[in-house]
Amino acid sequence: MIHNEEIHDEIGDNHIGSCAKNPVRDDAFAITDEEKIEKIKKDVESILLTLGMDLTDDSMKGTPNRVAKMFVKEIFGGLNPEKKPKASTFDNNYKYGEMLVEKNITLYSTCEHHLLPIIGRAHVAYISNGRVIGLSKMNRIVEYYSKRPQVQERLTMQIVQELQLALGTQDVACVIDAKHLCVNSRGINDIESSTVTSEFGGKFKEPQARREFLDYIKLDTKF
């Protein structure tokens, strides 16, 4: 008989996502960031003490507070909708009608199964239908959705969906190539492997546009 704990371990060890949206509770923002930091600080302190660490050591004294602030303000800051970047768009006055590609966007995220880093590159493209978006906004959208416990497939989809909404077009694509430290530094301990995910919308579903995009980013992967 397979117990629920074993099933949950199998899902996590195989990095299987369970939902298209981040599983955030309705009351996620019922308390302030400062209150969250205080609660997490105590939890981190408890974990370290259980592991046998001496928190009176000068090197360790501030670790619970540092970790708590990092969780709330930095690596999981994308959970807070108030931090969502304003994706301002503009009229395409110069009538540029070809593909626009922003490649090699640095990506730092966190695997939601083991809370270990996901590190890689995102490549994003769109074809304007009358609106354009600032280049830095594409980076900020990638960053916003990365800064939360994530599954790479979901992250790829969220980036595309956000740009589709902002630009008013389905013609958006994203490819992410990233290393998962939950694979590289534990479990199978494969330091060479990386994970590639993609989401193609509108014209990018057509082989010619898809191939052009992949040629731009020099990713020799067959989709």
Side-chain angles (χ1 to χ4, degrees):
M1 180 177 179
I2 299 177
H3 298 290
N4 284 340
E5 186 174 341
E6 293 174 320
I7 294 173
H8 295 154
D9 281 345
E10 185 175 356
I11 289 172
D13 286 338
N14 287 282
H15 309 285
I16 298 170
S18 60
C19 56
K21 293 183 178 180
N22 298 94
V24 178
R25 300 196 322 270
D26 292 337
D27 64 347
F29 305 102
I31 62 175
T32 66
D33 282 357
E34 288 67 30
E35 290 172 313
K36 288 182 180 180
I37 289 170
E38 280 302 310
K39 289 173 69 70
I40 294 171
K41 175 182 174 181
K42 293 176 183 177
D43 292 335
V44 174
E45 183 177 291
S46 177
I47 290 170
L48 292 173
L49 287 172
T50 301
L51 289 171
M53 302 303 295
D54 179 5
L55 298 187
T56 66
D57 184 89
D58 287 343
S59 179
M60 295 292 298
K61 280 181 179 178
T63 297
N65 191 58
R66 283 191 295 268
V67 172
K69 288 196 297 184
M70 177 184 68
F71 276 13
V72 175
K73 300 289 188 181
E74 297 178 61
I75 65 174
F76 299 140
L79 289 170
N80 190 339
E82 292 183 0
K83 296 185 178 181
K84 183 176 180 179
K86 185 178 180 181
S88 302
T89 59
F90 309 91
D91 290 332
N92 184 7
N93 293 324
Y94 35 85
K95 307 302 180 186
Y96 181 74
E98 299 300 317
M99 188 182 303
L100 186 146
V101 180
E102 183 82 358
K103 66 179 185 177
N104 292 324
I105 299 172
T106 301
L107 182 148
Y108 292 103
S109 191
T110 304
C111 170
E112 69 181 36
H113 299 121
H114 292 95
L115 298 185
L116 285 173
I118 300 171
I119 304 170
R121 304 281 183 178
H123 314 282
V124 183
Y126 71 91
I127 301 171
S128 174
N129 71 343
R131 304 293 292 173
V132 295
I133 193 169
L135 297 180
S136 66
K137 292 299 184 183
M138 298 168 74
N139 297 61
R140 293 188 186 282
I141 287 170
V142 171
E143 180 184 45
Y144 173 69
Y145 285 103
S146 299
K147 298 299 185 184
R148 52 182 70 180
Q150 269 292 13
V151 175
Q152 187 171 323
E153 297 93 326
R154 180 199 297 136
L155 172 59
T156 312
M157 294 168 62
Q158 287 174 332
I159 292 167
V160 168
Q161 290 165 2
E162 183 65 28
L163 282 167
Q164 287 174 330
L165 182 64
L167 290 162
T169 178
Q170 291 296 301
D171 303 335
V172 179
C174 177
V175 170
I176 293 176
D177 185 357
K179 286 182 174 290
H180 292 234
L181 265 66
C182 46
V183 173
N184 302 147
S185 68
R186 59 159 299 282
I188 195 64
N189 287 308
D190 185 347
I191 64 172
E192 297 298 330
S193 67
S194 67
T195 301
V196 179
T197 50
S198 64
E199 179 76 1
F200 300 109
K203 293 178 181 178
F204 287 97
K205 292 184 179 294
E206 300 171 6
Q208 183 175 347
R210 186 181 307 184
R211 185 72 257 168
E212 182 182 348
F213 174 44
L214 295 177
D215 285 344
Y216 274 132
I217 66 176
K218 306 298 183 186
L219 191 68
D220 188 20
T221 304
K222 298 187 184 300
F223 293 100

